[in-house]
Amino acid sequence: MTDAHTSDSGSRPNRGATAYSALREAIMENALKPGVKLPEEDLGQHFGVSRTLVRAALAQLALEGLVEIGKTKSATVAQPTTADAREAFELRRALEREVARQVAERWNADSQAALEAHIAAERTASDEGNQKLSVRLGAEFHILLADMAGNSLLRRYVFEVVGRTTLILAVHGQAHPQNDSLDEHIRLVEALKRGDAATASQIVDAHILAVENRALGDLGPDEGAGLSQILSRYAQPVRR
Ligand SMILES: [Zn+2]
């Protein structure tokens, strides 16, 4: 991830970043569905930022494969194909096997506390039937792991490919069904606790393959909701 969205300095240090994060979360939760138009002007008004900052946020999301910029420079939520999906999952498995190996080697009490807290949050979201939050936390578990691997480039590529695969699951079916995924996350953390790098790599590989294969069904619809209505759950609109 480049940091185009952090270039918004001065009196509005965070709004460009807020627009980027809110859009990314909304896309990953499938609240903004593939093909939905993302007009710069509407987004600028919603977030209270200039079109320049909106364009930077959209360009960053396009680099990450979450947004497509059309010939007329109009942005839409990306619509990845089945071939895109196969490539993204294949790469994700390779990257996350390496993440698991590195995290097992660097394992410490802080890693354990952070992952156990995250799993507790996933369990709560799952128990409460909060599907959208479950999906996002399920994806963020993998980014948290990548944070612990100690290689910033590896972290960056995992962040990107997790975003792509989460969107793909939203397009092609159920994103990260939570009960099985949660069990698999727990088993992964147990292997990491034992310092068993080989088993941890094998579990994460099988887990991501299973996530891909379980991708059936559908998430709750948000069709008919306006752009601002959907985004209002992700960041407060800015009044000018
Ligand atoms: Zn997972």
Side-chain angles (χ1 to χ4, degrees), residues 26 31 33 38 59 61 104 111 126 139 195 198-199 203 212 217 224-225 227 230 233:
K33 295 189 187 301
L38 301 169
L61 291 163
S111 309
S126 177
T199 301
I203 288 172
E212 184 181 357
L227 191 57
I230 293 167
R233 293 202 302 268

Side-chain angles (χ1 to χ4, degrees), residues 92 96 122 138-139 141-142 176 178 181-182 184-185 204 207-208 211 214:
R92 184 171 165 185
E96 292 213 42
E122 284 188 74
F141 172 83
H142 294 269
H176 225 113
Q178 283 309 296
S181 277
L182 188 53
E184 288 158 9
H185 290 180
V204 80
H207 166 57
I208 293 161
V211 167
R214 280 196 298 263

